[in-house]
Amino acid sequence: QKEVEQNSGPLSVPEGAIASLNCTYSDRGSQSFFWYRQYSGKSPELIMFIYSNGDKEDGRFTAQLNKASQYVSLLIRDSQPSDSATYLCAVSGNQFYFGTGTSLTVIP
Amino acid sequence: EPEVTQTPSHQVTQMGQEVILRCVPISNHLYFYWYRQILGQKVEFLVSFYNNEISEKSEIFDDQFSVERPDGSNFTLKIRSTKLEDSAMYFCASGRTASNQPQHFGDGTRLSIL
């Protein structure tokens, strides 16, 4: 069984702080790594994707991948109350495997 | 911006009845997917579809499930004889290229089995 593990949280950060979300995966053959944001009762919304080891930045978001450690993370800089949501890590080989998500609350 | 559309937004069905969930993927996308999310649980892969055939399916996607692309735009998920445990949000997603590339999700259909 291929697993994607995330801390369920809740993670609370003050507005303007950096939020750090982490994810580990079990399948060394995984090729692609994704972060989705899901507001309560809504569908997953793609935030970032990363394929290679290292960092990838897009605006306030940075994805980090370490394939040797089977670890992927998402940093959100200058966190805003609107960032409050559940963040889903997804890992892909032939299928997408989602983690259970980390609930983030940004406190004004 | 193009988006994946799903209908209906909410479907209520008696146990044992057949249900068809409909999706219109993004027009230039070639890969189509169904996922389900039981309330409070993680998003689970059901099936992927490419070139008019199933390319991958999970253990959840048993004989009561089927998918079809009946025309050039729609992508459907049929559940033949619904059970109480089929109650969930069902998401359709599409991607432009292979299954390890970004997928874009529709708003989902909430299926309630009575």
Side-chain angles (χ1 to χ4, degrees):
Chain A
Q1 176 74 355
K2 296 171 184 174
E3 298 289 343
V4 178
E5 301 285 344
Q6 297 181 253
N7 283 332
S8 60
L11 173 67
S12 294
V13 300
E15 184 174 355
I18 295 175
S20 177
L21 304 159
N22 304 314
C23 172
T24 58
Y25 59 95
S26 63
D27 182 14
R28 283 198 171 274
S30 300
Q31 302 164 355
S32 310
F33 307 87
F34 305 85
W35 283 99
Y36 285 81
R37 177 174 62 198
Q38 187 175 31
Y39 293 111
S40 181
K42 301 295 186 182
S43 62
E45 174 192 5
L46 181 67
I47 299 295
M48 294 280 295
F49 57 92
I50 187 167
Y51 305 136
S52 305
N53 279 328
D55 295 0
K56 179 181 178 183
E57 187 174 318
D58 183 0
R60 295 187 296 113
F61 299 96
T62 299
Q64 299 174 316
L65 174 63
N66 183 326
K67 289 187 179 179
S69 301
Q70 295 174 242
Y71 176 91
V72 58
S73 65
L74 179 71
L75 300 178
I76 306 174
R77 287 181 299 282
D78 188 24
S79 296
Q80 301 297 309
S82 58
D83 294 328
S84 299
T86 297
Y87 288 80
L88 310 178
C89 173
V91 172
S92 175
N94 293 327
Q95 298 181 14
F96 260 43
Y97 294 93
F98 280 86
T100 52
T102 298
S103 174
L104 172 67
T105 300
V106 180
I107 303 166
Chain B
E1 183 169 325
E3 54 184 34
V4 176
T5 56
Q6 290 186 243
T7 55
S9 57
H10 191 189
Q11 174 81 47
V12 182
T13 301
Q14 291 288 333
M15 186 172 60
Q17 296 297 305
E18 175 182 285
V19 65
I20 297 176
L21 309 182
R22 302 180 193 279
C23 169
V24 178
I26 295 172
S27 62
N28 64 348
H29 285 188
L30 301 177
Y31 289 77
F32 315 118
Y33 309 87
W34 284 102
Y35 293 85
R36 94 176 169 190
Q37 187 175 32
I38 295 169
L39 187 64
Q41 297 187 25
K42 64 181 177 182
V43 176
E44 298 175 289
F45 170 81
L46 293 178
V47 66
S48 60
F49 192 86
Y50 169 70
N51 200 25
N52 279 322
E53 61 183 27
I54 290 173
S55 47
E56 292 285 337
K57 60 182 181 179
S58 72
E59 311 83 55
I60 302 168
F61 194 88
D62 61 20
D63 291 344
Q64 70 163 339
F65 291 93
S66 62
V67 289
E68 193 178 34
R69 188 155 163 83
D71 53 43
S73 59
N74 290 284
F75 178 51
T76 62
L77 175 69
K78 182 192 289 186
I79 309 175
R80 253 179 281 282
S81 178
T82 50
K83 307 177 193 130
L84 293 175
E85 54 265 35
D86 294 328
S87 295
M89 280 290 284
Y90 287 80
F91 294 111
C92 175
S94 70
R96 196 159 41 197
T97 56
S99 61
N100 61 351
Q101 301 296 310
Q103 298 176 17
H104 299 271
F105 283 70
D107 287 340
T109 293
R110 179 169 299 285
L111 177 62
S112 299
I113 307 300
L114 304 180

